[in-house]
């Protein structure tokens, strides 16, 4: 008997998905983990995750939720008690007035941002993104069929967007401007005066919305102060504010974030979420409620973590300033340093090759210093390298010693 030849399975992937680039931060973190599992003592300073445990009162609230049977589906938008608490926090800490139906709780701030971009962007629209940027912003735009438009910033401006640069690129296709303050990857904080200049430009363009990513809001170092973009005159109506619990409360694994915006935007995002993941974990929402009850700006548990982050920042800034040819913009928030190593590009290293760019520099440091960092090209600025100081001081001291030993093998080939 003759059997028919089986047809090959069509393994085609959607062009929109094929165009997405994998996250380099996740890729390097996975690579460092694999090396450690193979016995190589790699120090990972790539992931943006606090090294602290979730504060005990928050963890206990999550455990109590399980014991008390709060383990069922919640409303798609989040529990009413949590949304009310978020509204209270936004009013008291940010000067923003929202009602619970203007808040959407999701499985992390990343989901909030993705849904917001999908909800308001159409093919042909443009998403304006200052660089250095968080690695996921351009990919979120592409997933929505929109075009990411990158606005370079300079270390001499502390990596803050110049209003003139923004004004020069806005056109009828401009749909969203994404601002992240405090910034990942630079730690820069936008002062209120600069945000007011940006708002004056935005106000002239009715189609242009602003997505304000404020996930690092509480990790800020005096004298810097956080300003919510939606609090500026005329900006509430066109701002989608995103925040969450992962960074300030050391709750990365709980996966809990939220969006606050005018109701029609929140409803659109909620429609996506209802068909995508449904509501966030009931257990995490109980824990989030406990986090918001810690007090203003997270109370003592958060201030203790921020103090430790600042001490680590100060140590690394001092240490890297001892290296010749390195340029630093001292971060005012978050827990990252974005360091300009470009004066070393072109260096030849025996047994390794040429340091051509940020990626080859990071590969060199992984090989020679056994320290995992993230190349700046992942963030849209190839001159720099991102270092996360969400690690114990002893770990940072060890890593710094190894980095200095490795960098001693190089000499800046160009004058700085």
């Amino acid at each position: 008997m003759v059997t028919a030849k089986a047809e090959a399975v069509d393994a085609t992937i959607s062009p929109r998905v094929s165009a997405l680039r994998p996250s380099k931060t996740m890729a390097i973190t996975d690579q460092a983990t694999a090396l450690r599992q193979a016995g190589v003592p790699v120090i990972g300073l790539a992931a943006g995750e606090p090294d602290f445990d979730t504060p005990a009162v928050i963890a206990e609230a999550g455990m109590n939720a399980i014991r008390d049977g709060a383990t069922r589906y919640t409303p798609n938008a989040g529990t009413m008690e949590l949304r009310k608490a978020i509204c209270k926090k936004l009013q008291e800490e940010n000067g923003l007035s929202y009602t619970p139906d203007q808040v959407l709780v999701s499985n992390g701030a990343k989901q909030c941002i993705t849904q917001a971009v999908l909800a308001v962007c159409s093919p042909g629209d443009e998403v304006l993104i200052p660089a250095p940027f968080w690695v996921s912003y351009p990919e979120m735009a592409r997933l929505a069929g929109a075009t990411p438009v990158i606005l370079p910033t300079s270390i001499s401006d502390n990596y803050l967007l110049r209003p003139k640069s923004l004004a020069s690129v806005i056109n009828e296709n401009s749909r969203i401007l994404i601002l992240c303050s405090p910034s990942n990857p630079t730690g820069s904080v936008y002062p209120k005066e600069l945000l007011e200049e940006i708002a004056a430009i935005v106000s002239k363009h009715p189609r242009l919305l602003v997505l304000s990513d404020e996930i690092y809001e509480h990790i800020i170092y005096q004298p810097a102060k956080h300003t919510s973009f939606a609090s500026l005159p005329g900006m509430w109506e066109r701002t989608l504010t995103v925040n969450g619990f992962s960074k300030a409360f050391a709750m990365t694994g709980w996966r809990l974030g939220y969006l606050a915006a005018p109701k029609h935007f929140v409803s659109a995002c909620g429609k996506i979420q209802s068909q995508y993941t449904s509501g966030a974990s009931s257990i995490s929402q109980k824990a989030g409620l406990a986090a918001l009850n810690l007090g203003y700006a997270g109370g003592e548990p958060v201030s203790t973590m921020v103090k430790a982050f600042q001490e680590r920042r100060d140590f690394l800034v001092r240490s890297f300033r001892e290296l010749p040819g390195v340029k630093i913009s001292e971060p005012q928030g978050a827990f990252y340093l974005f360091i300009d190593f470009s004066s070393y590009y072109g260096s030849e290293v025996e047994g390794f090759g040429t340091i051509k760019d940020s990626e080859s520099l990071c590969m060199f440091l992984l090989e020679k210093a056994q320290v995992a960092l993230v190349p700046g090209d992942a963030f849209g600025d190839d001159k720099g390298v991102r270092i996360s100081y969400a690690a114990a001081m002893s770990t940072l001291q060890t890593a710094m010693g190894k980095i200095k030993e490795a960098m001693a093998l190089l000499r800046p080939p160009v004058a700085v």
Side-chain angles (χ1 to χ4, degrees):
M1 186 174 83
V2 179
T3 57
K5 184 179 179 181
E7 294 292 332
V9 174
D10 184 348
T12 304
I13 304 297
S14 159
R16 189 170 291 185
V17 173
S18 296
L20 296 180
R21 301 166 188 168
S23 167
K24 271 195 179 175
T25 54
M26 297 307 300
I28 290 170
T29 300
D30 291 347
Q31 185 177 6
T33 300
L35 286 170
R36 278 195 295 270
Q37 290 174 345
V40 180
V42 171
I43 298 174
L45 302 180
E49 181 172 42
D51 59 308
F52 300 102
D53 289 334
T54 302
V57 66
I58 300 175
E60 191 64 32
M63 290 186 280
N64 284 339
I66 297 171
R67 295 187 192 105
D68 296 343
T71 55
R72 301 186 181 278
Y73 291 134
T74 72
N76 178 60
T79 63
M80 181 58 71
E81 63 177 354
L82 179 56
R83 283 183 286 146
K84 283 182 176 179
I86 290 169
C87 291
K88 182 172 181 284
K89 173 259 186 275
L90 291 170
Q91 181 68 66
E92 293 179 354
E93 296 183 3
N94 306 90
L96 298 173
S97 180
Y98 292 99
T99 54
D101 60 355
Q102 295 168 330
V103 172
L104 176 65
V105 177
S106 301
N107 300 278
K110 181 180 278 191
Q111 182 177 4
C112 297
I113 299 169
T114 302
Q115 291 175 168
V117 174
L118 287 170
V120 302
C121 286
S122 303
D125 282 343
E126 295 179 349
V127 177
L128 312 182
I129 307 171
F133 48 72
W134 180 43
V135 295
S136 295
Y137 293 147
E139 307 315 312
M140 291 168 173
R142 292 186 179 100
L143 190 62
T147 301
V149 176
I150 308 305
L151 310 179
T153 64
S154 170
I155 192 171
S156 61
D157 293 323
N158 294 317
Y159 296 116
L160 298 172
L161 176 64
R162 285 186 173 184
K164 287 183 180 178
S165 299
L166 172 63
S168 69
V169 300
I170 298 176
N171 58 53
E172 65 276 5
N173 295 320
S174 304
R175 185 57 174 150
I176 304 180
L177 166 65
I178 298 182
L179 294 176
C180 181
S181 179
S183 164
N184 175 6
T186 67
S188 300
V189 174
Y190 278 82
K192 185 176 182 179
E193 297 75 19
L194 180 53
L195 290 177
E196 288 172 339
E197 290 183 56
I198 292 172
I201 294 170
V202 170
S203 67
K204 299 174 184 176
H205 302 276
R207 273 203 89 226
L208 185 60
L209 306 174
V210 175
L211 192 150
S212 184
D213 183 350
E214 303 181 10
I215 190 68
Y216 294 95
E217 169 194 12
H218 291 324
I219 305 174
I220 198 163
Y221 314 120
Q222 292 184 347
K225 294 184 183 301
H226 175 74
T227 299
S228 288
F229 195 81
S231 69
L232 302 177
M235 292 298 108
W236 187 95
E237 295 80 7
R238 62 167 78 214
T239 302
L240 299 94
T241 300
V242 172
N243 209 323
F245 299 83
S246 293
K247 310 299 182 179
F249 298 104
M251 292 176 66
T252 49
W254 297 79
R255 308 310 307 132
L256 196 66
Y258 58 88
L259 166 74
K263 185 177 178 179
H264 54 284
F265 292 132
V266 168
S267 296
C269 293
K271 194 184 300 183
I272 297 171
Q273 182 163 300
S274 71
Q275 300 293 359
Y276 186 36
T277 62
S278 299
S281 160
S282 59
I283 300 157
S284 296
Q285 291 187 63
K286 286 288 188 182
L289 185 63
L292 294 180
N293 287 333
L294 287 175
Y296 190 91
E300 185 178 353
V302 172
S303 65
T304 299
M305 288 188 274
V306 172
K307 182 181 178 183
F309 285 137
Q310 186 164 358
E311 290 172 352
R312 298 167 185 180
R313 177 203 67 170
D314 293 345
F315 164 73
L316 287 179
V317 168
R318 284 195 309 271
S319 299
F320 276 108
R321 280 182 173 155
E322 295 170 357
L323 288 175
V326 167
K327 297 178 184 176
I328 300 175
S329 171
E330 185 171 300
Q332 301 302 302
F335 39 70
Y336 308 107
L337 273 175
F338 195 78
I339 299 183
D340 185 334
F341 281 103
S342 60
S343 65
Y344 287 88
Y345 297 172
S347 298
E348 294 284 341
V349 186
E350 187 175 351
F352 179 83
T354 305
I355 304 295
K356 303 188 293 276
D357 49 26
S358 61
E359 186 161 1
S360 56
L361 177 64
C362 286
M363 291 305 298
F364 165 74
L365 290 173
L366 184 60
E367 181 179 313
K368 299 295 184 182
Q370 297 176 342
V371 177
L373 310 175
V374 188
D377 67 340
F379 307 101
D381 187 343
D382 193 42
K383 291 182 179 180
V385 167
R386 191 190 79 172
I387 299 171
S388 169
Y389 49 91
M393 180 67 86
S394 58
T395 300
L396 296 175
Q397 290 168 338
T398 301
M400 195 69 234
K402 289 174 171 286
I403 289 171
K404 283 185 174 181
E405 288 178 11
M407 296 303 291
L409 300 174
L410 308 178
R411 288 290 178 269
V414 295
V416 294

